[in-house]
Amino acid sequence: MTNSLRIITVANQKGGVGKTTTTINLATALAAIGESVLIVDLDPQGNASTGLGIDRRDRLISSYDVLTGEATIEAAAVATAVPGLSIIPSTLDLLGVEMEISNAPDRVLRLRNALQAFAEQASGFGYVLIDCPPSLNLLTLNSMAAADSVLVPLQCEFFALEGLSQLLETVDQVRRTINPTLNIQGIVLTMFDGRNNLANQVVEDVRANMGDKVYKTVIPRNVRVSEAPSHGKPAILYDLKCSGSQAYLQLASEVIRRERQLRAA
Ligand code: ADP
Ligand code: MG
C-alpha cells in the first residue's frame, strides 16, 4: 500500500490452524526487534484481543467501528502490555457487519481505505497484521484488499493442503479485481509434532507442492504456546525460551527478509 507500512493478512478459511497464534506471536516478535506493530482483529470471536489481555469491557471502539466508518484506525487502536504492539480489538458486533455494509459499493474496500488514511499520517508504524476469521467472507476479502501480502498458516495434519487451492484462488481473484500487487508472503506449517510420522509426511508434501513459498521455519506443537492466551500474553512473553516462542522469532526474521525482497522487487 505504501512504502513504509507493511500490511500482512493472516488468512486460512479453516479454523484452528494457528492464525491467531501466529498473528499474536509474529507481531510480538516484530515489536521485540523495534518495529511498531498494529494488529487488526477481524474475527468476531476476538481471540487475538483476548489473547493479548484486552478485556471485553474495554473494547469500546473496535474493528466493527472501523468497517462501518465510525472510527479511524488511530481512534480504534489500543496499546497492549507488549511494548510497541497495539491492537484494534474485535467484538461480536462484527458478526452483523457483513449484512450492514453488503449494499455499499465500497464494502470490500472499507479496511483498505481506513488503513490508507492511517498510512498517510506517517504514524511511525512499521507493520499491520490482520487476524482473519475462519472463512472467505467479506471480512477476509476486506483484509486481502487492504494487504500487501497474505501469510497462510497450515496445520501439519493429513488434510493440510485441502482448501489451500480455494484460498489461493481467492487471492488471485482479489489480485485481478481490487489489489493487483497482493503477494503471498508465505506458508507457515504449524503445530508440528515430530513424533508423528504423518506430520513429517505432511511437511514433505506441502514443500513438494508449494516450493519456496513455504517458510523454512516450522512451528512445533508446544503446550506453552497453547497456555499463553489464557494468561492474556503472547507465548513470547509467557515463556521466551520454549520451542514455540523460538520458532516464532525465527519466523519473524524470515518474514522481514521476504518483505525486504518484495519491497525491492
Ligand atoms: P485459528 O486462529 O486458525 O483458529 P488458533 O491460533 O486459535 O487457530 O489455534 C487453535 C488452537 O491451537 C488454540 O487453542 C491454540 O492455542 C492452539 N495452538 C496453536 N498453535 C499451537 C502450537 N504451536 N502448539 C500448541 N498449540 C497451539
Ligand atoms: Mg483465530
mmCIF file of all heavy atoms in Angstrom, residues 25 28-29 32 222 224 228 234-249:
data_model
loop_
_atom_site.group_PDB
_atom_site.id
_atom_site.type_symbol
_atom_site.label_atom_id
_atom_site.label_comp_id
_atom_site.label_asym_id
_atom_site.label_seq_id
_atom_site.Cartn_x
_atom_site.Cartn_y
_atom_site.Cartn_z
ATOM 1 N N ASN A 25 2.026 -13.878 17.954
ATOM 2 C CA ASN A 25 3.453 -14.097 18.244
ATOM 3 C C ASN A 25 4.371 -13.491 17.196
ATOM 4 O O ASN A 25 5.451 -13.003 17.526
ATOM 5 C CB ASN A 25 3.715 -15.581 18.475
ATOM 6 C CG ASN A 25 3.163 -15.999 19.824
ATOM 7 O OD1 ASN A 25 3.664 -15.577 20.871
ATOM 8 N ND2 ASN A 25 2.090 -16.776 19.814
ATOM 9 N N THR A 28 4.413 -9.840 18.088
ATOM 10 C CA THR A 28 5.249 -9.616 19.272
ATOM 11 C C THR A 28 6.730 -9.698 18.912
ATOM 12 O O THR A 28 7.540 -8.889 19.376
ATOM 13 C CB THR A 28 4.909 -10.653 20.364
ATOM 14 O OG1 THR A 28 3.524 -10.531 20.683
ATOM 15 C CG2 THR A 28 5.739 -10.442 21.617
ATOM 16 N N ALA A 29 7.069 -10.665 18.067
ATOM 17 C CA ALA A 29 8.462 -10.809 17.640
ATOM 18 C C ALA A 29 8.915 -9.578 16.861
ATOM 19 O O ALA A 29 10.028 -9.073 17.054
ATOM 20 C CB ALA A 29 8.629 -12.074 16.791
ATOM 21 N N ALA A 32 9.413 -6.806 19.244
ATOM 22 C CA ALA A 32 10.602 -7.027 20.077
ATOM 23 C C ALA A 32 11.880 -6.551 19.386
ATOM 24 O O ALA A 32 12.846 -6.186 20.059
ATOM 25 C CB ALA A 32 10.724 -8.505 20.442
ATOM 26 N N ASN A 222 3.452 -27.093 20.909
ATOM 27 C CA ASN A 222 4.146 -26.769 22.146
ATOM 28 C C ASN A 222 3.091 -26.316 23.166
ATOM 29 O O ASN A 222 2.363 -25.360 22.930
ATOM 30 C CB ASN A 222 5.157 -25.658 21.849
ATOM 31 C CG ASN A 222 5.949 -25.201 23.061
ATOM 32 O OD1 ASN A 222 6.425 -24.085 23.103
ATOM 33 N ND2 ASN A 222 6.095 -26.046 24.056
ATOM 34 N N ARG A 224 3.272 -24.762 25.885
ATOM 35 C CA ARG A 224 3.415 -23.397 26.402
ATOM 36 C C ARG A 224 2.722 -22.383 25.493
ATOM 37 O O ARG A 224 2.153 -21.397 25.956
ATOM 38 C CB ARG A 224 4.902 -23.022 26.546
ATOM 39 C CG ARG A 224 5.702 -23.980 27.393
ATOM 40 C CD ARG A 224 5.259 -23.980 28.829
ATOM 41 N NE ARG A 224 5.879 -22.915 29.602
ATOM 42 C CZ ARG A 224 5.506 -22.582 30.842
ATOM 43 N NH1 ARG A 224 4.505 -23.227 31.430
ATOM 44 N NH2 ARG A 224 6.112 -21.613 31.477
ATOM 45 N N ALA A 228 -0.403 -19.843 26.833
ATOM 46 C CA ALA A 228 -0.160 -18.398 26.942
ATOM 47 C C ALA A 228 -1.430 -17.534 26.845
ATOM 48 O O ALA A 228 -1.605 -16.622 27.664
ATOM 49 C CB ALA A 228 0.872 -17.966 25.894
ATOM 50 N N PRO A 234 1.269 -13.066 24.846
ATOM 51 C CA PRO A 234 1.871 -13.840 23.761
ATOM 52 C C PRO A 234 2.808 -14.904 24.352
ATOM 53 O O PRO A 234 3.387 -14.671 25.422
ATOM 54 C CB PRO A 234 2.703 -12.810 22.996
ATOM 55 C CG PRO A 234 2.266 -11.482 23.496
ATOM 56 C CD PRO A 234 1.698 -11.670 24.855
ATOM 57 N N ALA A 235 2.963 -16.028 23.677
ATOM 58 C CA ALA A 235 3.892 -17.060 24.149
ATOM 59 C C ALA A 235 5.286 -16.472 24.359
ATOM 60 O O ALA A 235 5.988 -16.828 25.318
ATOM 61 C CB ALA A 235 3.939 -18.216 23.146
ATOM 62 N N ILE A 236 5.653 -15.547 23.481
ATOM 63 C CA ILE A 236 6.999 -14.964 23.543
ATOM 64 C C ILE A 236 7.240 -14.223 24.862
ATOM 65 O O ILE A 236 8.367 -14.146 25.342
ATOM 66 C CB ILE A 236 7.230 -14.063 22.303
ATOM 67 C CG1 ILE A 236 7.404 -14.960 21.071
ATOM 68 C CG2 ILE A 236 8.426 -13.134 22.477
ATOM 69 C CD1 ILE A 236 7.509 -14.207 19.763
ATOM 70 N N LEU A 237 6.190 -13.696 25.476
ATOM 71 C CA LEU A 237 6.341 -13.083 26.804
ATOM 72 C C LEU A 237 6.137 -14.102 27.916
ATOM 73 O O LEU A 237 6.768 -14.034 28.969
ATOM 74 C CB LEU A 237 5.317 -11.958 27.002
ATOM 75 C CG LEU A 237 5.531 -10.632 26.312
ATOM 76 C CD1 LEU A 237 4.672 -9.573 26.984
ATOM 77 C CD2 LEU A 237 6.980 -10.205 26.333
ATOM 78 N N TYR A 238 5.260 -15.031 27.677
ATOM 79 C CA TYR A 238 4.910 -16.034 28.694
ATOM 80 C C TYR A 238 6.081 -16.975 28.949
ATOM 81 O O TYR A 238 6.391 -17.302 30.086
ATOM 82 C CB TYR A 238 3.683 -16.797 28.205
ATOM 83 C CG TYR A 238 3.206 -17.907 29.089
ATOM 84 C CD1 TYR A 238 2.709 -17.649 30.366
ATOM 85 C CD2 TYR A 238 3.224 -19.235 28.634
ATOM 86 C CE1 TYR A 238 2.244 -18.684 31.171
ATOM 87 C CE2 TYR A 238 2.762 -20.265 29.428
ATOM 88 C CZ TYR A 238 2.276 -19.978 30.699
ATOM 89 O OH TYR A 238 1.823 -21.007 31.488
ATOM 90 N N ASP A 239 6.738 -17.399 27.867
ATOM 91 C CA ASP A 239 7.893 -18.286 28.003
ATOM 92 C C ASP A 239 8.783 -18.133 26.769
ATOM 93 O O ASP A 239 8.639 -18.865 25.785
ATOM 94 C CB ASP A 239 7.430 -19.738 28.160
ATOM 95 C CG ASP A 239 8.603 -20.683 28.412
ATOM 96 O OD1 ASP A 239 9.775 -20.254 28.291
ATOM 97 O OD2 ASP A 239 8.346 -21.862 28.718
ATOM 98 N N LEU A 240 9.690 -17.187 26.849
ATOM 99 C CA LEU A 240 10.537 -16.851 25.699
ATOM 100 C C LEU A 240 11.371 -18.042 25.231
ATOM 101 O O LEU A 240 11.654 -18.195 24.048
ATOM 102 C CB LEU A 240 11.455 -15.676 26.065
ATOM 103 C CG LEU A 240 12.508 -15.258 25.039
ATOM 104 C CD1 LEU A 240 11.837 -14.746 23.763
ATOM 105 C CD2 LEU A 240 13.425 -14.185 25.606
ATOM 106 N N LYS A 241 11.765 -18.897 26.198
ATOM 107 C CA LYS A 241 12.698 -19.970 25.849
ATOM 108 C C LYS A 241 12.025 -21.188 25.216
ATOM 109 O O LYS A 241 12.710 -22.041 24.659
ATOM 110 C CB LYS A 241 13.445 -20.413 27.118
ATOM 111 C CG LYS A 241 14.321 -19.309 27.690
ATOM 112 C CD LYS A 241 15.615 -19.887 28.271
ATOM 113 C CE LYS A 241 16.589 -18.793 28.625
ATOM 114 N NZ LYS A 241 16.471 -18.419 30.059
ATOM 115 N N CYS A 242 10.719 -21.301 25.322
ATOM 116 C CA CYS A 242 10.067 -22.516 24.816
ATOM 117 C C CYS A 242 10.235 -22.617 23.298
ATOM 118 O O CYS A 242 10.460 -21.613 22.609
ATOM 119 C CB CYS A 242 8.597 -22.573 25.232
ATOM 120 S SG CYS A 242 7.487 -21.524 24.261
ATOM 121 N N SER A 243 10.127 -23.845 22.796
ATOM 122 C CA SER A 243 10.419 -24.089 21.380
ATOM 123 C C SER A 243 9.470 -23.295 20.473
ATOM 124 O O SER A 243 9.872 -22.829 19.402
ATOM 125 C CB SER A 243 10.318 -25.579 21.080
ATOM 126 O OG SER A 243 9.018 -26.044 21.377
ATOM 127 N N GLY A 244 8.218 -23.111 20.911
ATOM 128 C CA GLY A 244 7.259 -22.371 20.091
ATOM 129 C C GLY A 244 7.652 -20.910 19.954
ATOM 130 O O GLY A 244 7.615 -20.336 18.856
ATOM 131 N N SER A 245 8.051 -20.293 21.063
ATOM 132 C CA SER A 245 8.470 -18.884 21.022
ATOM 133 C C SER A 245 9.694 -18.724 20.132
ATOM 134 O O SER A 245 9.772 -17.788 19.321
ATOM 135 C CB SER A 245 8.802 -18.385 22.429
ATOM 136 O OG SER A 245 7.661 -18.425 23.237
ATOM 137 N N GLN A 246 10.652 -19.611 20.294
ATOM 138 C CA GLN A 246 11.872 -19.535 19.485
ATOM 139 C C GLN A 246 11.549 -19.666 17.996
ATOM 140 O O GLN A 246 12.129 -18.969 17.161
ATOM 141 C CB GLN A 246 12.871 -20.622 19.930
ATOM 142 C CG GLN A 246 13.457 -20.349 21.324
ATOM 143 C CD GLN A 246 14.233 -19.035 21.382
ATOM 144 O OE1 GLN A 246 15.083 -18.766 20.555
ATOM 145 N NE2 GLN A 246 13.909 -18.204 22.366
ATOM 146 N N ALA A 247 10.599 -20.545 17.681
ATOM 147 C CA ALA A 247 10.216 -20.720 16.273
ATOM 148 C C ALA A 247 9.566 -19.444 15.731
ATOM 149 O O ALA A 247 9.841 -19.029 14.600
ATOM 150 C CB ALA A 247 9.272 -21.910 16.133
ATOM 151 N N TYR A 248 8.732 -18.804 16.537
ATOM 152 C CA TYR A 248 8.088 -17.577 16.052
ATOM 153 C C TYR A 248 9.105 -16.446 15.853
ATOM 154 O O TYR A 248 8.960 -15.616 14.950
ATOM 155 C CB TYR A 248 6.932 -17.166 16.959
ATOM 156 C CG TYR A 248 5.642 -17.867 16.554
ATOM 157 C CD1 TYR A 248 5.032 -18.802 17.385
ATOM 158 C CD2 TYR A 248 5.068 -17.620 15.317
ATOM 159 C CE1 TYR A 248 3.860 -19.454 16.990
ATOM 160 C CE2 TYR A 248 3.908 -18.271 14.906
ATOM 161 C CZ TYR A 248 3.314 -19.188 15.746
ATOM 162 O OH TYR A 248 2.169 -19.827 15.334
ATOM 163 N N LEU A 249 10.144 -16.400 16.687
ATOM 164 C CA LEU A 249 11.199 -15.397 16.474
ATOM 165 C C LEU A 249 11.914 -15.654 15.142
ATOM 166 O O LEU A 249 12.214 -14.726 14.388
ATOM 167 C CB LEU A 249 12.204 -15.421 17.631
ATOM 168 C CG LEU A 249 11.675 -14.883 18.971
ATOM 169 C CD1 LEU A 249 12.662 -15.178 20.100
ATOM 170 C CD2 LEU A 249 11.410 -13.381 18.894
#
